[in-house]
Amino acid sequence: MSFASKVVIVTGASSGIGAATAVLFTKESADVVIVGRNESKLKNVADKCALSGNTPFVINADVSNDDDAKRIVNETIDKFGKIDVLVNNAGLFHAGSIIENNILEAYDKVMAVNLRAVVHLTAVAAPHIIKTKGNIVNVSSNAGKTHSLPEFIAYNVSKAALDHFTRGAALELASSGVRVNGVSPGPVKTDFIENNAMADVSWDKMAPLVPLKRVSEPEEIAELILYLASEKAKGVTGSDFICDNGGLL
Ligand code: NDP
């Protein structure tokens, strides 16, 4: 599945699923642009990619900042002249509850990154992706299909909305030859718990809760993203590929 001469932007590439995705696209010979805020983690990922053959272009940016989002696209175009694939992976969690009266704070924080930034980056990148007849992959979650713990409400709503945005974008961009799909993982061993200071949560506690009794590795999700971005998936658009070890069952 060669991505030679393809330009791939991966947001949230400083750890977890985004980092694994950047490494995998690099192994498939893509020119990869890695985006995140944590400089030292981005450097580690860049070094890992370099071991796979190609040093990625690093953009230190906050996807929820409108100027940064435009800069991600402009710097990619200045460097490579085109965009073939956009992987909207950056995401975060913030606890919030209706009764505790902190739902709006959580809603604003997660919506800004998990949804608004995706909508904005898609709009800014679309003219370039239309030119290459490329595609977009959005990283959602099985949490967008159901509710678990009450304090996850804002996160779950953001991912449900992202799923519907994926379908709407797929419909609008289909006439321009651009595909838009989503992947929806269940628990994946990443820095997500640590990055979002999630108390009383651990990957080990999650494994027994799902039918396959396991938690995924980031590379499993990266493989799905790579497939959806490839020519093998040329008939797939508006889809949402769930990879949750049977969690939704
Ligand atoms: P990580 O916390 O390891 O990675 C999240 C990435 O998003 C980091 O690289 C972080 O980089 C980046 N990020 C967060 N906010 C911003 C921002 N404002 N601007 C730029 N980058 C940002 O978690 P995962 O790899 O697990 O998460 C990746 C995606 O997968 C998310 O969308 C998440 O919701 C989704 N997901 C994860 C699951 C899991 O169990 N791990 C399950 C289902 C879905 P930095 O800090 O450098 O900015």
Side-chain angles (χ1 to χ4, degrees):
M1 225 186 297
S2 174
F3 279 82
S5 82
K6 301 285 185 196
V7 177
V8 180
I9 299 176
V10 183
T11 70
S14 61
S15 65
I17 295 168
T21 302
V23 170
L24 189 58
F25 273 106
T26 303
K27 282 184 183 157
E28 299 297 338
S29 308
D31 288 317
V32 179
V33 181
I34 62 172
V35 180
R37 295 163 302 173
N38 187 313
E39 260 179 64
S40 66
K41 281 181 156 187
L42 282 170
K43 188 179 176 321
N44 286 343
V45 177
D47 290 346
K48 235 176 167 183
C49 289
L51 289 176
S52 304
N54 203 357
T55 304
F57 183 48
V58 180
I59 301 181
N60 194 312
D62 177 344
V63 292
S64 66
N65 176 301
D66 288 358
D67 289 337
D68 277 15
K70 287 178 204 149
R71 187 165 56 80
I72 292 165
V73 170
N74 291 340
E75 287 188 9
T76 302
I77 294 300
D78 287 348
K79 172 84 178 163
F80 297 110
K82 63 169 187 158
I83 301 169
D84 294 283
V85 177
L86 170 63
V87 181
N88 283 309
N89 165 75
L92 52 75
F93 166 84
H94 197 83
S97 144
I98 299 166
I99 293 166
E100 302 284 327
N101 202 23
N102 55 6
I103 185 75
L104 263 191
E105 185 195 345
Y107 178 89
D108 288 343
K109 280 191 172 152
V110 300
M111 285 305 221
V113 175
N114 296 5
L115 185 64
R116 190 181 183 281
V118 175
V119 174
H120 187 223
L121 251 185
T122 299
V124 180
H128 302 285
I129 300 176
I130 287 169
K131 280 187 200 152
T132 58
K133 300 217 181 304
N135 67 84
I136 300 170
V137 182
N138 295 329
V139 179
S140 182
S141 170
N142 69 354
K145 286 82 178 157
T146 184
H147 282 285
S148 50
L149 300 170
E151 65 268 25
F152 276 63
I153 183 169
Y155 179 78
N156 297 353
V157 167
S158 76
K159 294 299 190 180
L162 176 60
D163 291 348
H164 217 40
F165 176 71
T166 296
R167 288 185 285 271
L171 183 61
E172 180 173 353
L173 296 176
S175 58
S176 303
V178 172
R179 299 182 296 108
V180 186
N181 289 293
V183 297
S184 286
V188 186
K189 263 181 229 152
T190 65
D191 293 354
F192 197 77
I193 291 176
E194 183 190 319
N195 282 345
N196 297 290
M198 296 167 86
D200 300 326
V201 183
S202 80
W203 304 122
D204 290 345
K205 281 189 200 160
M206 290 178 197
L209 303 178
V210 295
L212 290 180
K213 308 282 180 225
R214 67 186 293 279
V215 169
S216 293
E217 297 295 335
E219 290 73 18
E220 297 168 41
I221 313 305
E223 290 284 359
L224 266 184
I225 294 169
L226 190 91
Y227 167 73
L228 286 170
S230 78
E231 268 302 292
K232 288 191 181 180
K234 63 183 169 207
V236 184
T237 197
S239 280
D240 176 34
F241 277 37
I242 293 166
C243 176
D244 70 345
N245 296 296
L248 283 178
L249 298 175

